Amino acid sequence: MEQRFVDVVREDDQFVVDVPGPQQLDEAGIEVAVTSLSTPGVWFGNQGEARDLARKCNEYAAQMKRDFKGRYGSFATLPLPDVEASVKEVGRLVDELKLEGVCLLTNVNDV
């Protein structure tokens, strides 16, 4: 199975995500792409920012699933080490966004 990575660039306080579209998936022979956010995740020392960024990432992934039914799945991002916010986000992922699961990093904030 071939793995491809997506670039996320921060420009003018906005995150720009370059995700292969269905045409690129077809050209590469990929039937379904599953997205997830890798290290360093969304934790940069501020709980509020981590919560907001996790929600935005998860909403973006859910929108991709809606826009391109059957072509994308996603493992959601959690705002760890904020456990309370992470538990709330898991509920939203299951009930509202319908994402496939969560991606847990092995280390957040050196823990």
Side-chain angles (χ1 to χ4, degrees):
M1 172 185 281
E2 180 181 350
Q3 289 186 343
R4 291 186 171 223
F5 297 91
V6 175
D7 289 326
V8 178
V9 180
R10 190 169 184 160
E11 294 178 359
D12 298 325
D13 219 23
Q14 297 290 319
F15 286 92
V16 178
V17 182
D18 181 21
V19 178
Q23 181 178 349
Q24 289 88 359
L25 295 179
D26 291 341
E27 290 169 0
I30 299 170
E31 188 174 325
V32 177
V34 179
T35 65
S36 65
L37 190 63
S38 186
T39 196
V42 296
W43 176 254
F44 299 99
N46 182 296
Q47 285 188 353
E49 288 179 3
R51 279 185 233 121
D52 291 345
L53 187 53
R55 287 181 67 86
K56 287 177 183 177
C57 289
N58 295 332
E59 288 165 2
Y60 186 91
Q63 187 64 50
M64 283 177 47
K65 286 184 62 168
R66 287 189 296 272
D67 290 347
F68 305 103
K69 291 193 185 308
R71 296 307 305 268
Y72 293 95
S74 183
F75 294 124
T77 299
L78 298 178
L80 291 169
D82 186 342
V83 175
E84 184 177 330
S86 295
V87 170
K88 287 180 184 177
E89 187 67 0
V90 166
R92 193 173 80 92
L93 302 171
V94 171
D95 297 335
E96 181 183 331
L97 299 181
K98 310 292 188 210
L99 298 183
E100 282 67 28
V102 298
C103 182
L104 295 175
L105 302 178
T106 58
N107 182 323
V108 177
N109 200 30
D110 294 327
V111 175

